[in-house]
Amino acid sequence: IMSTNNEVRYLASHEWGRIDEEGILTVGISNHAQDLLGDIVFVELPDIGKELDAEEESAIVESVKAASDVYTPLSGEVIEINEKLFDEPEIVNNSPFEDGWFFKIKLHDSSAFEDLMTEEEYNASCEE
């Protein structure tokens, strides 16, 4: 059982978002998702400055098994991408919550963060 971190919320499509005190949302895919995908071989990330709408396709992750769209949990502007993933996409497998994040967005409305799934809700949805 993982410790509950109130700062991480999820989409049912396996993305996580972690918000910082400045309202910046870091986005990645869950441990469950990277586990399902297997060895990740390629990641395509959004352009810095791109405006994303909540649940919009924002990135692509490819593994030896499949390619999968990555959706942004909340609306905002992309302010940073994890360029390390271009050369080392396997970081996502090794560290999906720390080093393997995908991009960061400056949120238009951070209050919507509360509407995302908690870790407990997400884990329950994965077991269904």
Side-chain angles (χ1 to χ4, degrees), residues 102-121:
F102 281 45
F103 55 91
K104 296 184 180 186
I105 56 178
K106 178 96 177 126
L107 296 177
H108 296 316
D109 177 14
S110 59
S111 67
F113 185 73
E114 299 300 321
D115 299 333
L116 300 173
M117 297 169 92
T118 63
E119 188 164 359
E120 283 175 34
E121 290 166 335

Side-chain angles (χ1 to χ4, degrees), residues 4-75:
T4 304
N5 179 349
N6 292 333
E7 293 178 330
V8 176
R9 294 288 179 107
Y10 297 85
L11 288 177
S13 50
H14 308 297
E15 293 79 12
W16 59 264
R18 183 171 51 226
I19 200 166
D20 70 14
E21 57 281 347
E22 291 161 24
I24 305 297
L25 186 76
T26 302
V27 179
I29 62 169
S30 70
N31 193 47
H32 181 75
Q34 71 79 20
D35 200 38
L36 288 175
L37 283 164
D39 294 335
I40 292 171
V41 295
F42 176 77
V43 176
E44 183 178 307
L45 299 173
D47 294 327
I48 291 174
K50 182 171 171 65
E51 290 285 337
L52 296 172
D53 291 325
E55 300 187 32
E56 178 182 348
E57 293 173 17
S58 53
I60 298 170
V61 58
E62 290 182 20
S63 70
V64 289
K65 294 186 202 169
S68 184
D69 290 321
V70 176
Y71 301 90
T72 186
L74 298 170
S75 303

